[in-house]
Amino acid sequence: MSKNLLLMGLPGAGKGTQAENIVEKYGIPHISTGDIFRAAMKEKTPMGVKAQQYIDKGELVPDDVTCGIVEERLKQADTKNGYLLDGFPRTLEQAKQLEIMGEKLDKKLDAVINIDVDPDILVARLSGRFICKSCGATYHKLYKQPKVEGTCDNCGGHAFYQRSDDEPETVKNRLKVNLEMNTPLVDFYSKLNLLHTVAGDQNITDVTKDINKILTNLD
Ligand code: ADP
Ligand code: AMP
């Protein structure tokens, strides 16, 4: 069975961290709109320059830009056996557009995994986050350090960075913007009978175990 999956949760809930395990297990591509925007910003493409104005303020990039990117990405051949969306949709309009894309491309969602975390702990998660420059693997100063200090577990790289939008002022706005949309999105997928919620305030390994149970039951 195909695995057309969506990982949802507030910024810092652990989507990127859990995505690393899921895509490895199922051999499906990880489609993170945030990663796509950051790559475009680095390359300074017209889309990247436009997205940066919003991202720097912790606001959402407009729906038309974001939906266009996802539709193009879902058309690519590597999504044949499934995909893992991360960070999209973030608005009801995006969720509705995704339903239309799923119909049109015959790639409708099979399940939505909602990583549920108390917003109060997210600021600490985001301010401690650091990322490998070469492969994008995510770490945390306290909760997930590389096994060998200064060396990425995944690719052996030695250079890391912190996201500029993880600074406390931007984080506050990102959380506010995302909190407003979270409940309507949860309701949307609950009504479609696609929603599975995991407790995201457990440690990383226990969250992974809960997600794996859900995915195994889908087989
Ligand atoms: P998201 O992709 O949802 O924004 P990340 O996966 O990047 O979130 O996680 C945010 C930060 O919190 C990272 O530094 C990550 O290492 C850390 N983290 C992720 N899951 C947990 C967890 N269950 N407990 C503690 N820290 C976590
Ligand atoms: P993320 O990496 O998912 O935390 O996203 C980083 C930033 O990219 C967000 O704060 C938004 O500005 C932008 N972004 C990512 N995904 C979306 C989306 N689905 N809709 C609008 N903006 C997005």
Side-chain angles (χ1 to χ4, degrees):
M1 184 191 159
S2 70
K3 284 268 187 303
N4 298 336
L5 306 172
L6 161 60
L7 209 46
M8 65 177 278
L10 294 169
K15 302 181 296 295
T17 303
Q18 298 301 331
E20 289 173 27
N21 297 313
I22 300 171
V23 297
E24 194 186 2
K25 193 166 169 184
Y26 294 107
I28 55 178
H30 175 201
I31 304 179
S32 152
T33 40
D35 285 350
I36 295 172
F37 287 137
R38 278 183 290 280
M41 279 166 17
K42 202 169 156 195
E43 298 287 318
K44 297 197 167 43
T45 67
M47 184 270 280
V49 171
K50 184 164 188 199
Q52 182 140 24
Q53 300 164 0
Y54 299 92
I55 293 177
D56 282 350
K57 289 186 266 183
E59 290 171 6
L60 294 182
V61 178
D63 288 341
D64 57 337
V65 177
T66 312
C67 291
I69 287 167
V70 173
E71 179 157 10
E72 284 314 303
R73 185 65 188 84
L74 288 180
K75 281 181 187 163
Q76 290 179 22
D78 63 347
T79 62
K80 185 168 56 83
N81 297 323
Y83 55 81
L84 177 63
L85 281 171
D86 159 359
F88 178 94
R90 269 186 159 101
T91 65
L92 271 186
E93 178 57 25
Q94 291 178 9
K96 288 176 192 158
Q97 290 296 324
L98 179 61
E99 285 301 292
I100 297 170
M101 288 176 218
E103 285 281 0
K104 202 160 79 179
L105 303 173
D106 196 18
K107 290 178 182 169
K108 282 188 70 123
L109 281 174
D110 297 311
V112 175
I113 297 170
N114 177 33
I115 308 182
D116 187 30
V117 180
D118 184 336
D120 288 344
I121 68 172
L122 294 174
V123 178
R125 285 215 189 156
L126 292 170
S127 59
R129 170 160 69 182
F130 63 99
I131 299 166
C132 172
K133 261 193 179 163
S134 351
C135 75
T138 302
Y139 297 93
H140 192 280
K141 281 182 197 159
L142 301 175
Y143 310 128
K144 191 188 174 191
Q145 294 163 343
K147 291 190 182 87
V148 177
E149 200 186 328
T151 303
C152 176
D153 298 348
N154 190 41
C155 75
H158 296 295
F160 298 88
Y161 72 98
Q162 283 192 276
R163 280 172 46 175
S164 58
D165 63 347
D166 278 348
E167 278 159 22
E169 273 314 301
T170 319
V171 162
K172 269 190 219 152
N173 195 38
R174 284 169 62 206
L175 286 175
K176 181 173 162 280
V177 167
N178 285 276
L179 267 168
E180 275 163 21
M181 283 321 301
N182 203 46
T183 309
L185 281 174
V186 166
D187 289 348
F188 181 89
Y189 287 116
S190 170
K191 283 192 189 122
L192 291 178
N193 280 327
L194 291 173
L195 191 74
H196 302 263
T197 297
V198 298
D201 37 20
Q202 313 173 76
N203 66 46
I204 294 175
T205 314
D206 286 344
V207 178
T208 305
K209 279 187 195 151
D210 283 358
I211 291 177
N212 283 341
K213 271 186 221 151
I214 292 167
L215 294 176
T216 307
N217 285 335
L218 290 178
D219 287 335

